[in-house]
Amino acid sequence: TKDTMSVILLEVLKDPSLAAYIEQASETEINILAEELLRFASPLQYTVRVAHEDVEINGRHFAKGTRLFLSLASANRDPEVFDDPDKIVPNRKYNPHLSFGSGIHSCLGARVARNEIRSWLKPVTKQLQHYRLVENEIPNWQRTIFMRGLKSLKIERK
């Protein structure tokens, strides 16, 4: 959750209209926005699956035992599934994101992460109104392959 929250902090600081939306949002709107932020931030970038039998995908053969690296982040930005996939759409109604995996591979902590983000959005946004990104500073991203999050972000008091 901390990785997702770090990306959310950055996005709220970059977009005052997102902060304004959060401040006035109802509980239902916050729930919808939380799912959108999870889709957009995709904390788990990749996952690995092993083919348990020979399989063909889009005309390409994968032998039993092949390790497949699947990009959940890319799936969450698929333009065939999501309108404006590279944009945070606060009231996105159809949102079949894969941020927590799917089926038997669903994240056991998904419910906890959702609740943390939902309860955290309004209070943190209220505090962020006193801060801004330091001009011309680039966010320092973690150097990991599977998880996406900020290592540090320079902000300053307004």
Side-chain angles (χ1 to χ4, degrees):
T1 308
K2 73 171 180 58
D3 294 326
T4 303
M5 289 176 166
S6 71
V7 177
I8 292 169
L9 285 171
L10 173 61
E11 294 304 321
V12 169
L13 285 165
K14 283 174 30 182
D15 184 357
S17 69
L18 181 57
Y21 180 88
I22 292 167
E23 287 179 29
Q24 62 79 33
S26 69
E27 183 178 346
T28 299
E29 291 167 328
I30 288 293
N31 292 343
I32 292 168
L33 175 59
E35 292 303 313
E36 175 66 355
L37 292 168
L38 285 162
R39 179 201 67 82
F40 185 84
S42 291
L44 181 61
Q45 297 286 285
Y46 298 95
T47 191
V48 179
R49 297 291 179 261
V50 177
H52 293 290
E53 58 188 46
D54 286 3
V55 64
E56 189 170 313
I57 302 172
N58 291 334
R60 184 149 183 214
H61 178 77
F62 298 93
K64 177 180 179 178
T66 301
R67 294 177 60 138
L68 302 167
F69 289 78
L70 309 175
S71 176
L72 300 178
S74 180
N76 285 345
R77 300 283 182 101
D78 185 344
E80 291 184 23
V81 178
F82 302 98
D83 292 332
D84 293 321
D86 295 324
K87 181 180 173 194
I88 295 171
V89 179
N91 60 351
R92 187 181 299 275
K93 299 296 188 254
Y94 179 70
N95 195 343
H97 68 79
L98 297 174
S99 296
F100 296 116
S102 179
I104 64 170
H105 296 287
S106 290
C107 174
L108 291 173
R111 182 173 285 190
V112 172
R114 283 182 166 104
N115 286 335
E116 286 175 335
I117 290 169
R118 289 171 181 165
S119 64
W120 170 85
L121 270 173
K122 278 190 181 261
V124 80
T125 299
K126 185 174 183 164
Q127 290 302 311
L128 287 177
Q129 70 184 341
H130 304 293
Y131 295 90
R132 65 177 166 242
L133 295 171
V134 174
E135 196 171 328
N136 298 320
E137 286 290 332
I138 298 170
N140 185 11
W141 293 94
Q142 296 178 49
R143 294 182 183 259
T144 62
I145 294 173
F146 287 93
M147 300 299 289
R148 180 176 186 245
L150 290 169
K151 185 174 181 181
S152 65
L153 178 66
K154 290 189 179 183
I155 62 173
E156 62 188 2
R157 202 149 174 74
K158 289 183 181 176

